[in-house]
Amino acid sequence: MTSVFKKFRRDLKFRYGRQLRQLNYWLVARAAMMIISVLRLLPADSALNFADRVARRVGPWVGRHQVAVDNLRKAYPEKSESEIQAIASDMWGNMARLAAEYIFLDALFDYDPAASKPGRVEVKGADHFVEIASEQKPHIVFTGHLGNFELLPVAAATFGMNITALFRPPNNPYLADYILSTRRSTMGSLLPSMAGASFALAGVLENGGNIGILVDQKFSNGLDTTFFGRRCQSNRVLATLARHYDCDVYPARCVRLPGNRFRLEIEDKLTLPRTTDGSVDVHATTQRLNDVVERWVREDPGQWMWFHKRWEIGGGRKRPQSQLQPQAPKPNRWRGG
């Protein structure tokens, strides 16, 4: 009888806990949409500046602020407390601008390859975009959560590059629907980060397409690597795909400039580490990606998301090797973007 009662209580708690979580998601989403409605009434620059000011005041009261500050102290032990807090404040301003920029994405992206004068968005390394778009072979472009990284696939589409971008939807399903609809209108093909995503990415490359991946998040049971000299776990999927398809890998990032302007940079393709048999070294390549992102972050630390639990080490049962590496897909099973 006791076990039956415990099971009933557990089921009840699960059922109502899920309903409360959904209610919380709905309330947060409604509040967010109300804020978005207010921001839409303002000119783009005024809205972005307002969001920045508010976030700098509110950010230190958010629970994740302490995570960010702890990470910053460990990454920059030589910096004073005022310097650490200043970087954290810049981070919150960057995050608020990123959120508000979803509203004005179409208006903000004004890059025209044929324009004689620079606009709000400038591109460094445009020849790489042109080259990738013209080559009839697969490519991988990677970036990190820096500046407004969402502008990169918009730029790729401007240059005629067909690219499928892997993204992680927010946990809040109501906000996820809004963000996904905003992204799809300007960014081409999108692939949610979920079970089977690596196989779908493999299918895009198999058909000669291009993929874009964010590489700076924690990945439980990932490869043992370092970031800012500290141990972390990193996703091996990019390196595994690069080895399987032997395709070029390009680093790209967005740099936020004064005056609500942006510089999109796509760098020379990476020279990937190789094993003795000439194939791509998956572990060394994954570490190389971390090193590139670290270089970017060090150049302007306030433009990265320091509240990520990047250095949290996840445990769990070790997965079989067959689950860690995507298999070669059957021809024409997937269609690239």
Side-chain angles (χ1 to χ4, degrees):
M1 187 67 180
T2 303
S3 60
V4 173
F5 177 73
K6 286 183 177 179
K7 183 178 183 302
F8 173 77
R9 187 173 60 180
R10 186 167 59 246
D11 292 344
L12 198 66
K13 183 178 179 181
F14 174 77
R15 184 184 309 138
Y16 284 103
R18 184 170 56 183
Q19 291 176 354
L20 286 173
R21 186 164 59 250
Q22 287 299 114
L23 176 61
N24 181 64
Y25 284 151
W26 185 84
L27 291 173
V28 169
R30 294 308 302 171
M33 297 310 293
M34 287 178 61
I35 294 172
I36 288 172
S37 298
V38 172
L39 292 177
R40 284 186 190 278
L41 301 175
L42 302 174
D45 287 312
S46 299
L48 300 181
N49 294 337
F50 173 74
D52 182 294
R53 290 194 300 271
V54 171
R56 288 174 185 270
R57 291 177 178 272
V58 175
W61 298 95
V62 176
R64 284 290 180 121
H65 181 76
Q66 193 55 50
V67 175
V69 169
D70 289 344
N71 284 334
L72 281 163
R73 286 171 181 154
K74 292 172 182 175
Y76 295 102
E78 74 283 1
K79 290 189 181 295
S80 66
E81 187 62 21
S82 61
E83 290 174 311
I84 294 296
Q85 293 293 340
I87 295 173
S89 179
D90 288 343
M91 178 201 70
W92 288 118
N94 174 67
M95 287 303 306
R97 288 178 180 276
L98 175 62
E101 282 158 2
Y102 275 110
I103 307 170
F104 304 100
L105 206 55
D106 290 338
L108 291 176
F109 190 86
D110 63 354
Y111 179 75
D112 180 359
S116 57
K117 295 182 180 179
R120 190 186 292 269
V121 177
E122 60 184 62
V123 175
K124 182 179 179 181
D127 54 327
H128 290 317
F129 277 120
V130 174
E131 182 180 4
I132 294 171
S134 64
E135 291 182 336
Q136 300 300 310
K137 65 177 187 178
H139 305 81
I140 300 175
V141 181
F142 74 91
T143 189
H145 291 85
L146 293 133
N148 190 333
F149 52 90
E150 304 282 15
L151 292 175
L152 289 167
V154 182
T158 300
F159 284 96
M161 184 199 305
N162 290 326
I163 190 165
T164 297
L166 182 69
F167 76 102
R168 182 185 182 280
N171 292 330
N172 187 316
Y174 304 102
L175 288 178
D177 289 343
Y178 169 76
I179 292 174
L180 183 58
S181 65
T182 304
R183 282 169 159 169
R184 276 186 172 148
S185 65
T186 54
M187 299 181 190
S189 299
L190 294 169
L191 178 67
S193 178
M194 57 196 302
S198 61
F199 297 97
L201 291 174
V204 174
L205 296 175
E206 178 76 16
N207 287 288
N210 309 300
I211 62 175
I213 305 179
L214 286 153
V215 299
D216 58 343
Q217 290 180 298
K218 179 194 76 171
F219 188 75
S220 297
N221 296 314
L223 289 178
D224 215 7
T225 53
T226 60
F227 189 59
F228 277 80
R230 297 169 60 197
R231 182 189 171 211
C232 62
Q233 292 174 307
S234 302
N235 196 334
R236 64 185 293 159
V237 67
L238 187 155
T240 302
L241 291 170
R243 181 178 67 179
H244 187 81
Y245 294 98
D246 200 22
C247 51
D248 293 337
V249 176
Y250 286 85
R253 64 167 167 168
C254 173
V255 179
R256 195 179 291 282
L257 303 175
N260 295 317
R261 298 183 64 251
F262 311 89
R263 182 172 66 248
L264 306 180
E265 300 180 356
I266 182 165
E267 301 178 356
D268 295 341
K269 63 183 177 183
L270 289 184
T271 300
L272 302 180
R274 303 272 173 170
T275 59
T276 54
D277 65 359
S279 60
V280 171
D281 186 320
V282 171
H283 190 278
T285 295
T286 303
Q287 182 61 57
R288 178 72 57 84
L289 305 179
N290 283 1
D291 294 341
V292 171
V293 175
E294 180 178 332
R295 167 170 59 84
W296 291 338
V297 175
R298 286 188 180 277
E299 290 179 12
D300 197 332
Q303 296 195 28
W304 191 63
M305 300 180 183
W306 287 96
F307 55 74
H308 277 176
K309 296 184 179 180
R310 183 67 180 94
W311 292 274
E312 185 177 73
I313 303 300
R317 181 173 57 87
K318 186 179 173 107
R319 292 168 293 167
Q321 190 73 7
S322 60
Q323 294 182 19
L324 292 172
Q325 298 184 16
Q327 307 291 323
K330 295 178 181 179
N332 299 323
R333 182 181 176 188
W334 305 95
R335 295 294 179 187

